[in-house]
C-alpha cells in the first residue's frame, strides 16, 4: 500500500534547528499537512498548505516543499517540541488520505 | 471553542460490533467534511474513513472496507463509525477529525477529538 516515508527519529540540541522530511509521489501534486503528537495526547495541526501555521503555533515551526518531498523545520527547538511528528497528504493510489510513518523528535 | 468529543469505545470480542460517536461543538458541523483516524498501541496514525459535509460521499481505507460504516447526523452535530466483524488488529485509539481546505490540493485535519480506545480481545 502507498506510504509517505519519514525518518523514524531525529535529535536536536536545545535552541538548534531540525528539519523533518516526508517523501512520497503524491507530494508532487498535493501539499502536506503536519501534526505534532505528544504522549497520551491527540495530534495537533502545526503546518498546512505552502507554509501556514494555525493560531497558537509558534513561528519557529515552518514548512516547505520541493518535488516529492515536504519538510517541517523547527528553528530554535524548545524542550516542549519533543514529540512525534506526522505528515499527511492525499493518496494518489486510491485511498483519499495517507499519513507518514512518523518521526520522533528528541530535544537534547 | 471548537471541540470534538468521541465516545463509545471499549472492550469487544473478535467478531463483535461497536459504534463510535463524535459530537461536535463550536462550529457549523454541517459545513465540514469529517474523518476517522486510528492509532494502534505504539504505532503511527492510520486514516480510516471520510464523509462529505452532506454525507453523500464516503470513502474507506482498504483495511476496514466492508466492515466499517461511517455516517453523520447534521441535526445532532454528530459523526458515527459503526464497526462490525472486529479483529484484533482493529485495536486502536480512534480519533474523529474535522477536515478543512482552501483548495483541492490544500487540505488538513483540525481539530481532533481526544480519542476513544477500542480493544478487540477474547
Amino acid at each position: 500500500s502507498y506510504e509517505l516515508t519519514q525518518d523514524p527519529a531525529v535529535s536536536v540540541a536545545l535552541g538548534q534547528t531540525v528539519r523533518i522530511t516526508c517523501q512520497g509521489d503524491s507530494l508532487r501534486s498535493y501539499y502536506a499537512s503536519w501534526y505534532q503528537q505528544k504522549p497520551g495526547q491527540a495530534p495537533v495541526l502545526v503546518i498546512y498548505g505552502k507554509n501556514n501555521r494555525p493560531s497558537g503555533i509558534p513561528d519557529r515551526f515552518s514548512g516547505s516543499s520541493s518535488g516529492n518531498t515536504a519538510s517541517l523545520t523547527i528553528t530554535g527547538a524548545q524542550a516542549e517540541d519533543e514529540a512525534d511528528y506526522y505528515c499527511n497528504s492525499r493518496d494518489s493510489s486510491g485511498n483519499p488520505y495517507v499519513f507518514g510513518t512518523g518521526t520522533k523528535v528528541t530535544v537534547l | 471553542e471548537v471541540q470534538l468529543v468521541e465516545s463509545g469505545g471499549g472492550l469487544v470480542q473478535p467478531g463483535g460490533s461497536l459504534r463510535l460517536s463524535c459530537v461536535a461543538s463550536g462550529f457549523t458541523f454541517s459545513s465540514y467534511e469529517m474523518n476517522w483516524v486510528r492509532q494502534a498501541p505504539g504505532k503511527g496514525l492510520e486514516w480510516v474513513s471520510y464523509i462529505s459535509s452532506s454525507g453523500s460521499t464516503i470513502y474507506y481505507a482498504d483495511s476496514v472496507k466492508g466492515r466499517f460504516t461511517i455516517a453523520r447526523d447534521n441535526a445532532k452535530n454528530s459523526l458515527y463509525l459503526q464497526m462490525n466483524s472486529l479483529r484484533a488488529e482493529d485495536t486502536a485509539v480512534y480519533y474523529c477529525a474535522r477536515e478543512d481546505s482552501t483548495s483541492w490540493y490544500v487540505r488538513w485535519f483540525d481539530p481532533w477529538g481526544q480519542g476513544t480506545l477500542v480493544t478487540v480481545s477474547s
Side-chain angles (χ1 to χ4, degrees):
Chain A
S1 61
Y2 180 70
E3 274 191 341
L4 294 175
T5 303
Q6 298 180 237
D7 290 331
V10 296
S11 61
V12 57
L14 186 66
Q16 297 303 301
T17 296
V18 62
R19 188 176 74 167
I20 305 161
T21 60
C22 171
Q23 288 190 300
D25 285 342
S26 65
L27 299 176
R28 297 182 186 278
S29 305
Y30 305 101
Y31 280 105
S33 53
W34 289 92
Y35 304 87
Q36 176 193 68
Q37 187 180 35
K38 296 180 180 179
Q41 297 184 18
V44 172
L45 176 71
V46 293
I47 290 289
Y48 64 96
K50 190 173 184 179
N51 182 18
N52 302 104
R53 281 176 291 106
S55 60
I57 300 302
D59 61 5
R60 62 179 178 271
F61 289 90
S62 63
S64 62
S65 184
S66 178
N68 72 336
T69 302
S71 300
L72 173 69
T73 300
I74 309 174
T75 303
Q78 301 300 301
E80 60 264 32
D81 300 333
E82 188 163 288
D84 293 327
Y85 291 84
Y86 296 91
C87 58
N88 173 266
S89 180
R90 304 286 275 188
D91 180 348
S92 56
S93 73
N95 287 327
Y97 287 109
V98 62
F99 282 93
T101 49
T103 298
K104 181 177 182 59
V105 172
T106 300
V107 180
L108 304 172
Chain B
E1 179 192 4
V2 175
Q3 195 172 14
L4 298 170
V5 178
E6 302 97 336
S7 62
L11 175 64
V12 61
Q13 293 187 338
S17 298
L18 214 53
R19 187 198 197 206
L20 305 183
S21 298
C22 168
V23 177
S25 59
F27 65 99
T28 305
F29 180 72
S30 59
S31 296
Y32 287 86
E33 300 152 284
M34 298 293 296
N35 290 265
W36 287 99
V37 177
R38 69 183 180 183
Q39 185 171 38
K43 302 297 185 181
L45 300 174
E46 179 188 14
W47 173 81
V48 172
S49 185
Y50 158 96
I51 188 167
S52 62
S53 57
S54 66
S56 60
T57 301
I58 285 171
Y59 299 110
Y60 299 99
D62 291 342
S63 57
V64 306
K65 202 171 295 181
R67 301 186 299 122
F68 289 12
T69 302
I70 191 172
R72 66 190 298 159
D73 185 336
N74 287 340
K76 294 183 178 179
N77 291 338
S78 294
L79 174 72
Y80 306 101
L81 187 67
Q82 177 67 43
M83 304 185 296
N84 297 332
S85 302
L86 283 162
R87 306 166 180 167
E89 55 264 36
D90 296 318
T91 294
V93 174
Y94 285 74
Y95 299 99
C96 61
R98 187 183 74 174
E99 181 173 331
D100 207 345
S101 66
T102 53
S103 70
W104 62 271
Y105 53 87
V106 181
R107 312 185 79 85
W108 63 93
F109 298 154
D110 182 56
W112 297 56
Q114 86 287 353
T116 187
L117 176 63
V118 172
T119 303
V120 183
S121 175
S122 55

